[in-house]
């Protein structure tokens, strides 16, 4: 096959569409689930598609538009198929109802998305009663299966799924006692803080965490406490909050087990691969996009990134010439946690760097420097860690290093 795409969510579908539009004839999307669309299928709220489709859609509507276009273009799909092995020569082995299949691809795009951090990763002390769920699991229960997890909920973490579930639980008749966030700033988008918490009078407690759970068979409540500057609970502030459900919205982990298996270099900060501006990993012909690369705020940005990955994968397959110059490293400096990409291939007209800040800056200035000299600055009213930033610039001369700072 020419191109294999692992994952049939928004990143995988968008990459497949662009690959076909680039002229590839044999594009295969390998999806382990029984439905295409990934996480979008359970995101029945609006807010998707403003950038790509110029209108506001629900998650399933956004996914269906991608599916319809992919089918129209003749993309091939392997559904219910689990990839179990990839090697550096781009040989893929997967298992499906047809049995064990091994095929060689001209290029591979990794689009496996991410998973939620679960209770075990947090090591919360206390009883192990039922009704402690990851927020995404609860979202699937409510939106796709019609089950309400409980009547009185506490939410730990202020990621976007947790905020959206605070609103959803309220709309379904449950009471949300509060959202507790260990950091001094929210983990979700500002619009979700407003539309999901403030509009429904749901309290947000920053610098707080759950210290233990109570309930042998079923959850009966949790103890919460303020935390100090080192994020350690302050025992004098501990108090009991009755509840029958605890939802965890404490971060997403890119699904990179396959990526590790083939030896791709991974970032310890994002959990995703190091890539250049072509979104190519450290292994030639293997590209990455979407949440498996770094967690995105908006699905529209996932689609745009997947388009870029597919365009470059198609160029790789067609053996189109690219610059043989040494890649220019991109380094995150003061105020920046990470950048994507981490290297630039010389010769492009315009480069775009995505990044997140390490704290809230207001007002804020983004600065791009080449070998210590300013080549682009941008002023913003506010920059917060929960919202991904992007900045584009041009390079007119050869340089040795690019740095990104926020101040």
């Amino acid at each position: 096959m020419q191109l294999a795409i692992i994952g049939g969510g928004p990143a995988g579908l968008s990459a497949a569409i662009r690959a076909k539009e680039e002229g590839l004839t044999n594009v295969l999307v390998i999806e382990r689930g029984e439905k295409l669309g990934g996480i979008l299928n359970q995101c029945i709220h609006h807010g998707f598609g403003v950038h790509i489709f110029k209108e506001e859609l629900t998650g399933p509507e956004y996914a269906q538009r991608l599916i319809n276009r992919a089918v129209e273009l003749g993309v091939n799909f392997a559904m219910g198929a689990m990839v179990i092995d990839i090697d550096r020569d781009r040989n893929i082995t997967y298992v499906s109802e047809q049995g064990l299949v091994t095929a060689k691809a001209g290029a591979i795009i990794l689009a496996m998305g991410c998973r939620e951090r679960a209770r075990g990763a947090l090591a919360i002390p206390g009883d192990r009663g039922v009704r402690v769920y990851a927020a995404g699991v609860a979202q699937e229960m409510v939106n796709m299966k019609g089950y309400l997890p409980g009547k009185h909920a506490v939410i730990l973490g202020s990621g976007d799924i947790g905020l959206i579930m605070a609103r959803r639980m309220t709309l379904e008749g449950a009471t949300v006692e509060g959202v507790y966030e260990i950091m001094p700033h929210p983990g979700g988008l500002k619009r979700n803080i407003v539309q999901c918490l403030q509009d429904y009078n749901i309290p947000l407690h920053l610098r707080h965490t759950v210290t233990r759970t109570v309930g042998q068979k079923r959850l009966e409540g949790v103890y919460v406490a303020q935390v100090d500057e080192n994020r350690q609970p302050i025992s004098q502030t501990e108090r009991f909050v009755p509840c029958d459900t605890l939802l965890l919205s404490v971060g997403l982990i890119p699904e990179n087990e396959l990526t590790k298996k083939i030896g791709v270099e991974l970032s310890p900060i994002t959990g995703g691969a190091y890539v250049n501006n072509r979104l190519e990993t450290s292994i030639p012909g293997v590209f990455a996009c979407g949440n498996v690369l770094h967690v995105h705020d908006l699905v529209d940005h996932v689609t745009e990134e997947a388009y870029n990955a597919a365009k470059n994968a198609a160029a790789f397959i067609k053996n189109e010439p690219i610059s043989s110059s040494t890649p220019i490293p991109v380094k995150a400096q003061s105020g920046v946690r990470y950048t994507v990409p981490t290297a630039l291939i010389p010769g492009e007209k315009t480069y775009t760097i995505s990044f997140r800040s390490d704290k809230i800056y207001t007002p804020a200035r983004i600065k791009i420097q080449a070998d210590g000299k300013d080549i682009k600055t941008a002023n913003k009213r506010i920059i917060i860690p929960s919202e991904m930033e992007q900045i584009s610039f041009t390079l007119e001369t050869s340089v040795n290093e690019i740095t990104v700072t926020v101040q």
Side-chain angles (χ1 to χ4, degrees):
M1 78 186 81
Q2 289 178 302
L3 177 63
I5 301 170
I6 305 175
L13 289 169
S14 300
I17 290 168
R18 184 58 185 269
K20 293 292 285 187
E21 291 174 344
E22 288 290 320
L24 298 187
T25 56
N26 190 354
V27 177
L28 175 65
V29 174
I30 305 172
E31 167 57 44
R32 67 184 177 187
E34 298 301 326
K35 293 181 179 179
L36 295 167
I39 192 68
L40 290 178
N41 291 322
Q42 66 188 55
C43 297
I44 63 174
H45 53 278
H46 61 81
F48 303 88
V50 174
H51 299 286
I52 296 298
F53 297 113
K54 309 304 179 188
E55 60 180 301
E56 205 160 338
L57 305 171
T58 65
E61 287 174 324
Y62 190 101
Q64 195 60 52
R65 292 203 182 188
L66 296 180
I67 294 168
N68 292 345
R69 181 59 177 160
V71 171
E72 177 187 334
L73 291 171
V75 174
N76 299 316
F77 299 100
M79 303 300 298
M82 172 71 76
V83 176
I84 59 175
D85 190 43
I86 309 176
D87 64 25
R88 299 176 74 92
D89 295 321
R90 301 186 295 279
N91 294 303
I92 297 178
T93 301
Y94 63 91
V95 178
S96 69
E97 60 182 13
Q98 280 75 41
L100 188 69
V101 180
T102 300
K104 183 175 179 61
I108 297 172
I109 294 179
L110 306 173
M112 294 90 73
C114 54
R115 64 179 182 271
E116 294 181 278
R117 185 173 281 109
R119 176 180 186 169
L122 302 178
I124 300 174
D127 299 326
R128 286 295 182 263
V130 298
R131 289 191 176 177
V132 178
Y133 305 100
V137 173
Q139 185 180 55
E140 182 183 13
M141 290 173 64
V142 175
N143 293 348
M144 301 186 73
K145 298 181 178 178
Y147 298 129
L148 190 64
K151 291 288 189 180
H152 301 277
V154 163
I155 298 177
L156 175 60
S158 59
D160 286 311
I161 300 178
L163 300 177
I164 290 165
M165 280 308 296
R167 175 178 64 185
R168 186 66 177 155
M169 294 283 286
T170 301
L171 291 172
E172 292 297 330
T175 299
V176 177
E177 306 295 341
V179 176
Y180 296 85
E181 169 58 56
I182 196 170
M183 299 295 288
H185 50 76
L189 295 173
K190 176 64 176 177
R191 73 181 189 192
N192 286 333
I193 298 294
V194 174
Q195 296 174 3
C196 300
L197 298 188
Q198 294 177 8
D199 287 356
Y200 293 87
N201 298 316
I202 299 171
L204 171 62
H205 305 274
L206 299 175
R207 296 185 186 272
H208 281 73
T209 191
V210 171
T211 55
R212 54 193 168 110
T213 57
V214 178
Q216 290 287 342
K217 293 184 178 180
R218 290 180 179 270
L219 188 70
E220 298 172 6
V222 297
Y223 281 90
V224 299
Q226 294 181 29
V227 298
D228 59 23
E229 293 180 353
N230 298 315
R231 303 179 200 169
Q232 296 301 309
I234 302 171
S235 57
Q236 308 93 289
T237 66
E238 190 175 61
R239 61 188 177 88
F240 181 72
V241 179
C243 63
D244 62 14
T245 307
L246 175 62
L247 302 186
L248 306 176
S249 182
V250 288
L252 300 170
I253 303 170
E255 288 269 18
N256 271 307
E257 281 64 35
L258 284 172
T259 317
K260 295 175 186 175
K261 202 167 189 178
I262 55 176
V264 167
E265 294 181 35
L266 299 180
S267 165
I269 298 175
T270 64
Y274 286 119
V275 295
N276 57 33
N277 58 293
R278 293 167 56 85
L279 298 178
E280 189 174 28
T281 68
S282 57
I283 296 180
V286 178
F287 300 78
C289 62
N291 281 357
V292 79
L293 179 58
H294 61 129
V295 177
H296 292 65
D297 311 322
L298 303 177
V299 71
D300 302 72
H301 291 161
V302 170
T303 291
E304 290 168 350
E305 191 171 85
Y307 285 168
N308 189 25
K311 180 188 70 173
N312 293 312
F316 178 89
I317 293 167
K318 297 173 185 177
N319 293 315
E320 294 181 2
I322 60 171
S323 172
S324 58
S325 302
T326 302
I328 306 165
V330 179
K331 295 186 178 180
Q333 299 284 35
S334 174
V336 180
R337 290 188 63 236
Y338 72 85
T339 67
V340 173
T342 53
L344 305 179
I345 296 175
E348 301 286 338
K349 293 181 179 179
T350 304
Y351 297 96
T352 299
I353 292 177
S354 302
F355 67 91
R356 289 184 189 271
S357 65
D358 60 357
K359 62 181 182 180
I360 297 175
Y361 292 86
T362 179
R365 169 173 285 190
I366 306 168
K367 185 183 295 184
I368 305 291
Q369 292 185 315
D371 297 337
K373 297 180 180 179
D374 293 356
I375 59 173
K376 179 72 176 282
T377 59
N379 296 318
K380 298 197 68 173
R381 184 182 64 83
I382 187 171
I383 289 179
I384 59 178
S386 61
E387 296 189 10
M388 187 179 75
E389 300 289 336
Q390 290 185 322
I391 186 168
S392 298
F393 59 94
T394 58
L395 283 178
E396 298 179 356
T397 59
S398 60
V399 299
N400 297 314
E401 181 181 271
I402 297 292
T403 58
V404 186
T405 61
V406 171
Q407 58 190 32

